[in-house]
Amino acid sequence: MTVTNRPTPDANALLAAAGAVLKRDGIEGLTVRAIAKQANTTTMAIYSRLGGKDGVLDAINREGFLVLSDALKQALASSPTPAASIASVCRTVRNFAATYPSHYRVMFGTPPEGYIRNAAAEQRARDIFTLLREPVAALIGDGTASTDTYALFALCHGLIEGERGPMAGIPPSPDTAFSAAIGSALRALEARVAGPAQSVGPTPYPDIAEMRTEERIEYADLSVREEPARNAPCPCGSGKRYKHCHGAT
């Protein structure tokens, strides 16, 4: 019998295969065996090149945060007021979750069984929180900005998860429900700034579907890529070396 030695794909090729499996089969279908089959290689290649499934999930987490960070920066740069910025970043998080549901789950949801997010992933989440906090602090000041930002993200996350759960079909329009919830939160923040002695009328927030059409973030084609070299510039654009930024452990 003749044994054919197949060349072992490099890390980028294996991660591209992982991205294809993720897009086709979702997070539950992302197994070492499925990735190896997609890449036409052995399961041992996944372990030797990437460190197994956990290494693949780390790469998915890393790239998802880089793409979301870029999208949030675009949203903040194009919003004229703090209130508009808050609405825009909430929509951006929701749109990202709809575009990349498996990435969103690895980043913010219940992770696959056995996977533990590492310190670098936790730092990326804190960096995203900092971006979300900017317009909140601009609107209400620094005092309770962190608490209110956390509450806003929890609201967004709950709405995103609700759209996938058993109550998904209850609202006639998930877009309208999301817009109403975020609008109510914003009015509460604005009322707090105005103070109890002043009356604040409802702020007119356009329908989320219209805003999403006008201000849609064009996400990059998200395919999992190899981690940058430790001394290379960080892909986030901070100007720091990767090992001192998103590659810090």
Side-chain angles (χ1 to χ4, degrees):
M1 183 176 71
T2 302
V3 177
T4 302
N5 292 322
R6 289 176 291 181
T8 301
D10 64 17
N12 278 330
L14 293 174
L15 289 172
V21 173
L22 186 69
K23 185 175 182 179
R24 184 188 67 223
D25 302 331
I27 199 67
E28 302 301 341
L30 187 70
T31 64
V32 169
R33 188 178 298 276
I35 297 168
K37 183 177 180 180
Q38 179 72 28
N40 191 30
T41 189
T42 64
T43 55
M44 184 56 64
I46 312 300
Y47 288 101
S48 63
R49 295 285 196 190
L50 303 176
K53 184 176 178 179
D54 280 1
V56 174
L57 291 170
D58 286 341
I60 289 169
N61 183 293
R62 179 174 62 251
E63 188 170 38
F65 274 116
L66 287 173
V67 171
L68 179 58
S69 177
D70 287 344
L72 288 172
K73 289 173 183 176
Q74 290 180 48
L76 289 169
S78 62
S79 300
T81 66
S85 293
I86 293 170
S88 185
V89 296
C90 289
R91 291 194 304 273
T92 299
V93 171
R94 179 180 181 243
N95 290 346
F96 177 87
T99 306
Y100 305 114
S102 295
H103 287 76
Y104 183 86
R105 177 179 168 187
V106 173
M107 294 158 64
F108 297 114
T110 303
E113 185 176 357
Y115 175 64
I116 300 176
R117 299 180 182 95
N118 58 26
E122 293 177 357
Q123 181 58 53
R124 294 181 197 110
R126 287 192 288 269
D127 292 343
I128 291 295
F129 183 86
T130 298
L131 287 175
L132 298 175
R133 187 183 183 280
E134 287 180 11
V136 177
L139 179 64
I140 66 172
D142 279 331
T144 62
S146 292
T147 299
D148 289 313
T149 301
Y150 182 85
L152 272 171
F153 180 80
L155 175 61
C156 289
H157 182 66
L159 290 164
I160 289 166
E161 293 297 318
E163 291 176 15
R164 308 174 185 178
M167 294 192 294
I170 294 177
S173 168
D175 287 344
T176 301
F178 189 88
S179 182
I182 300 303
S184 294
L186 279 171
R187 285 190 286 274
L189 291 175
E190 291 173 327
R192 190 192 308 167
V193 173
Q198 300 183 42
S199 175
V200 179
T203 302
Y205 295 104
D207 183 78
I208 193 79
E210 297 175 6
M211 298 173 82
R212 191 171 54 192
T213 300
E214 295 170 359
E215 303 174 10
R216 183 185 299 276
I217 297 292
E218 295 296 334
Y219 292 109
D221 180 17
L222 191 53
S223 58
V224 182
R225 293 186 289 269
E226 186 176 7
E227 185 170 8
R230 300 282 293 160
N231 287 316
C234 187
C236 74
S238 66
K240 300 179 182 178
R241 293 184 187 275
Y242 180 68
K243 65 182 180 182
H244 296 312
C245 192
H246 283 86
T249 56

